[in-house]
Amino acid sequence: MKDKASSQRISPRCRRLLSALLHGPLTREAADRVAGASNSPQCISVLRQKFHLNITTRRTKVIDRDGLTSYPGIYQLEPESTLNAQRILALK
């Protein structure tokens, strides 16, 4: 029996993002560039909800060029979701 995720289509943006996450963590800015859109959080949400992937968001403290503190997100595909991610990407 096929799992629920394998019967659903993945958008090109989410496909690019998921492929990159298989290679390692991505900052929000890098995720936007990889996805080809400025709304990578939406793709992350789809990957989590529709495809049931465990993608964590870690916040890191940085000081920007103006001396202000910021906490950008870093997305990471968790190891237990790697096989499922590979299966999703293998589907055409």
Side-chain angles (χ1 to χ4, degrees), residues 3-91:
D3 59 82
K4 187 176 181 179
S6 68
S7 66
Q8 299 190 21
R9 293 198 171 265
I10 184 171
S11 73
R13 289 176 180 172
C14 291
R15 178 178 288 280
R16 289 188 294 267
L17 184 53
L18 183 54
S19 180
L21 284 169
L22 280 168
H23 296 286
L26 294 172
T27 63
R28 157 73 194 275
E29 291 81 9
D32 283 350
R33 286 191 299 276
V34 166
S38 61
N39 66 341
S40 59
Q42 174 62 30
C43 280
I44 294 294
S45 178
V46 167
L47 292 171
R48 286 175 175 153
Q49 294 174 11
K50 184 175 177 181
F51 295 98
H52 310 287
L53 297 172
N54 188 2
I55 301 170
T56 57
T57 304
R58 182 171 39 94
R59 299 284 183 177
T60 58
K61 181 179 177 180
V62 297
I63 307 297
D64 70 14
R65 71 166 87 179
D66 298 317
L68 301 173
T69 302
S70 179
Y71 295 89
I74 300 174
Y75 299 119
Q76 182 169 350
L77 180 68
E78 292 302 315
E80 65 270 14
S81 288
T82 300
L83 186 58
N84 194 23
Q86 291 168 335
R87 286 181 185 146
I88 291 165
L89 291 174
L91 299 172

